[in-house]
Amino acid sequence: MKGISNFLKNMLINDLERKAYYESKKILEKGKPIYVSTQKWLDIRKVAINEFLGENRNCKNVRELEASTCYKFLNNNKPSYIKHNEWNYILKKSTEVLEEQIKKIILEINYYNDFTVLLGLVRPKNIKQNIWDIMQNKISDLFILLKKHNASQYCFNTDKIIDLLKEKKQAGMAEDKWSDYYDFLKKLYLQNLLNKLYSVKSPIEFINNLPLDYLEVEKIYELKREAYRLQLLAFKIFCYANNPKELIKKKKPSWIKDIDFKIIVLDIKGKIEIDEKREEYKEKLQLINEILRCNELQMTIPKNINQEDWSYLCNLQNSIRDKIRNNKKNGIVLNNKKEKLIEDEEETKYIKRITNIIRDNKFVH
């Protein structure tokens, strides 16, 4: 009989342990059976408490959260079926479960308006204010983190970033947390505009047509300076790529500073002069080569050769012609006219005359 009694007792205890998982509230409302030891009963009730508090673990919104067991425990007086020595444990465990549930809801939120309700969640009366503040800070930090992640997806969308900058501070959000998020948006906005400057046709016009009040004065100055620099660079490239002579005759664009426009004009004039000198040099060099090959110069002065240089070239040609004539009279046969002229001692004088023309800046290298 004793064996049967023990078997029955064990069956009843096993049943209680099972119900602690599946019928936890009934276990908590039930008094201790006489066949269960005090310690065993406390262990069974602890399992029941943990399971009971874990009900509604998959809350999807604040309404479900407020209806959860853990929130009700935290926001109400101790139920009669809960022992005094269990109450503190229940409050501690309920706080942990509530925080876990809140984090889960935040991570599953798709629309940020839901955060307003979550941040405005009323503090359960059984949670101390300092603990609640810590929980709210964690909520705010996670909220801001998700907001930043969401905003970063629009780093190339200027209009969307402006819309985000227009948002008001969320209810229940600490001022310093929101300021941190707002500063993040301003940096995102500034970087967006700096990037856009490299792709728009008129950087200055682009900047002037956007609201810049969201940025600090020094950042606005930095942005406008970069816009001006890029547009000035584009203007210079345009000037050099097109007909410079025609461009310097045109009126100064209103957006260009006087000093910058004067520098560009002087630069273009210098380029034009260098190009002209280069063409002049090429033509003089070609004429000298013709003379050295003993070819006759044309009768008319080329347009890029001035009178003084033309006289030098003519004298050079005459000197070489006279030398060749004299050599022929003396019976000297020239197999290679160019080599003989270079070897000849007198030819040094002619080369020096050519060198003088170049040294006097009449040729441009």
Side-chain angles (χ1 to χ4, degrees):
M1 287 294 295
K2 186 176 180 180
I4 296 175
S5 297
N6 287 335
F7 176 76
L8 181 60
K9 176 182 174 181
N10 290 333
M11 282 186 59
L12 293 173
I13 291 174
N14 289 338
D15 184 58
L16 291 174
E17 289 177 331
R18 182 184 62 79
K19 288 182 177 179
Y21 288 98
Y22 302 107
E23 299 179 42
S24 51
K25 188 176 181 182
K26 288 183 178 181
I27 291 294
L28 294 175
E29 292 174 342
K30 183 181 180 65
K32 185 181 84 69
I34 59 174
Y35 52 84
V36 181
S37 67
T38 302
Q39 185 57 52
K40 187 64 174 178
W41 181 239
L42 290 176
D43 292 341
I44 292 174
R45 283 184 66 84
K46 190 170 184 178
V47 171
I49 289 171
N50 291 336
E51 291 299 315
F52 191 36
L53 293 177
E55 287 184 355
N56 315 114
R57 279 184 178 272
N58 296 319
C59 297
K60 294 182 174 56
N61 51 54
V62 175
R63 186 174 62 255
E64 291 183 6
L65 183 64
E66 291 174 337
S68 67
T69 304
C70 64
Y71 189 89
K72 287 180 178 179
F73 269 127
L74 290 168
N75 203 37
N76 290 285
N77 296 327
K78 182 182 75 68
S80 58
Y81 55 84
I82 298 296
K83 310 301 181 184
H84 287 286
N85 58 354
E86 296 173 329
W87 185 233
N88 287 336
Y89 174 79
I90 287 176
L91 294 181
K92 180 178 179 297
K93 193 67 179 179
S94 295
T95 303
E96 294 174 358
V97 174
L98 179 65
E99 186 174 4
E100 178 188 333
Q101 294 281 56
I102 289 174
K103 288 180 180 178
K104 191 172 182 180
I105 291 175
I106 291 174
L107 293 173
E108 292 180 353
I109 284 177
N110 294 320
Y111 302 99
Y112 285 101
N113 287 336
D114 289 346
F115 273 108
T116 305
V117 180
L118 187 56
L119 290 168
L121 184 67
V122 178
R123 175 176 67 87
K125 66 180 184 178
N126 291 323
I127 291 184
K128 294 180 180 179
Q129 186 63 53
N130 63 328
I131 296 176
W132 182 250
D133 290 342
I134 293 173
M135 289 179 62
Q136 289 292 90
N137 275 331
K138 290 180 179 179
I139 294 171
S140 297
D141 288 339
L142 187 54
F143 173 52
I144 291 300
L145 183 64
L146 290 176
K147 290 281 282 184
K148 287 181 179 179
H149 174 72
N150 178 62
S152 63
Q153 299 179 51
Y154 303 111
C155 58
F156 299 109
N157 190 330
T158 307
D159 294 335
K160 184 61 180 178
I161 297 175
I162 292 175
D163 289 340
L164 294 176
L165 284 165
K166 292 177 181 178
E167 285 184 355
K168 302 298 182 182
K169 182 174 77 70
Q170 299 288 322
M173 175 63 63
E175 189 65 40
D176 60 327
K177 305 288 184 182
W178 188 256
S179 295
D180 175 62
Y181 169 64
Y182 196 73
D183 288 341
F184 172 83
L185 288 180
K186 290 193 292 185
K187 290 178 182 178
L188 192 68
Y189 185 45
L190 177 63
Q191 192 58 53
N192 172 272
L193 298 184
L194 286 171
N195 291 338
K196 285 288 185 70
L197 292 179
Y198 291 88
S199 60
V200 296
K201 183 177 180 180
S202 175
I204 293 178
E205 183 180 357
F206 171 73
I207 290 299
N208 290 337
N209 289 332
L210 287 171
L212 302 179
D213 297 342
Y214 302 107
L215 303 176
E216 290 80 6
V217 175
E218 62 271 17
K219 298 301 181 183
I220 296 175
Y221 175 76
E222 175 188 340
L223 192 61
K224 289 187 174 182
R225 182 178 60 184
E226 184 65 9
Y228 180 79
R229 185 188 71 82
L230 290 173
Q231 190 153 331
L232 186 65
L233 178 61
F235 182 75
K236 288 180 180 178
I237 294 173
F238 174 78
C239 290
Y240 293 133
N242 291 275
N243 189 341
K245 290 183 178 180
E246 293 299 321
L247 286 170
I248 60 176
K249 297 177 183 178
K250 293 185 177 181
K251 184 179 178 182
K252 178 184 80 70
S254 59
W255 59 270
I256 297 184
K257 298 175 184 177
D258 291 341
I259 183 65
D260 289 331
F261 188 70
K262 288 179 182 179
I263 292 173
I264 291 175
V265 170
L266 288 175
D267 200 20
I268 290 177
K269 286 182 178 179
K271 180 180 181 298
I272 292 173
E273 184 178 353
I274 289 174
D275 289 342
E276 290 176 347
K277 287 291 184 181
R278 186 179 289 111
E279 291 302 317
E280 181 183 340
Y281 165 75
K282 288 180 181 178
E283 191 163 1
K284 288 177 182 178
L285 187 61
Q286 183 179 355
L287 292 173
I288 290 172
N289 287 330
E290 291 296 321
I291 291 171
L292 293 176
R293 293 189 186 97
C294 298
N295 294 328
E296 293 289 330
L297 292 174
Q298 61 186 28
M299 298 300 295
T300 57
I301 302 177
K303 64 177 183 178
N304 291 328
I305 308 296
N306 58 44
Q307 184 62 51
E308 182 181 359
D309 289 340
W310 181 250
S311 297
Y312 275 118
L313 292 170
C314 289
N315 290 336
L316 176 62
Q317 177 179 256
N318 293 334
S319 297
I320 293 176
R321 186 188 299 152
D322 291 343
K323 183 64 178 174
I324 293 173
R325 189 180 297 115
N326 291 334
N327 286 340
K328 284 182 178 180
K329 287 180 180 180
N330 293 330
I332 298 175
V333 180
L334 302 177
N335 294 325
N336 191 320
K337 296 177 182 178
K338 186 184 299 185
E339 288 182 3
K340 182 59 181 175
L341 288 172
I342 293 174
E343 292 172 1
D344 196 290
E345 189 177 332
E346 291 296 322
E347 180 58 24
T348 305
K349 298 179 183 179
Y350 306 140
I351 300 301
K352 285 183 178 180
R353 297 180 71 179
I354 297 171
T355 304
N356 289 337
I357 296 174
I358 297 175
R359 186 171 56 244
D360 292 339
N361 296 322
K362 296 181 175 62
F363 298 154
V364 178
H365 294 280

